[in-house]
Amino acid sequence: PLIRAATKFGIIRPKALVCVPTDVNGQEREAVADCLIRAGASTTVVVPEPLAAAIGSGVDMLSPYAHMILDNRRRSHRLRNY
């Protein structure tokens, strides 16, 4: 609906950025990008969720200092069983 509203006159084709989980393979990434292109986006950028979370939280990517971003949301139920 949002992309259709933006392309109502057929002139404007928005760019899309989408984040995907870290455990998806290349074929699934291409499928997500292809769906966005077919929905009307002119270009798509697919980034991993931890990278998007780091940028969204204000982590400076060009900093010489190390930052650790943990993505334990998917594996937390496995860790409790041990």
Side-chain angles (χ1 to χ4, degrees):
L2 180 62
I3 292 179
R4 273 195 208 135
T7 61
K8 186 160 84 171
F9 299 108
I11 299 170
I12 300 171
R13 294 186 67 201
K15 297 177 182 177
L17 183 132
V18 63
C19 57
V20 295
T22 54
D23 56 349
V24 299
N25 57 24
Q27 187 177 14
E28 292 169 335
R29 288 176 190 262
E30 288 179 17
V32 169
D34 186 45
C35 287
L36 287 170
I37 294 289
R38 288 179 185 220
S42 62
T43 58
T44 60
V45 178
V46 181
V47 296
E49 280 181 346
L51 178 62
I55 293 171
S57 66
V59 173
D60 183 15
M61 292 294 149
L62 300 176
S63 172
Y65 300 104
H67 297 280
M68 182 179 290
I69 306 297
L70 298 176
D71 184 19
N72 63 352
R73 176 174 41 104
R74 298 201 185 280
R75 293 167 192 86
S76 62
H77 67 280
R78 294 182 197 151
L79 294 176
R80 280 185 252 147
N81 293 336
Y82 292 108

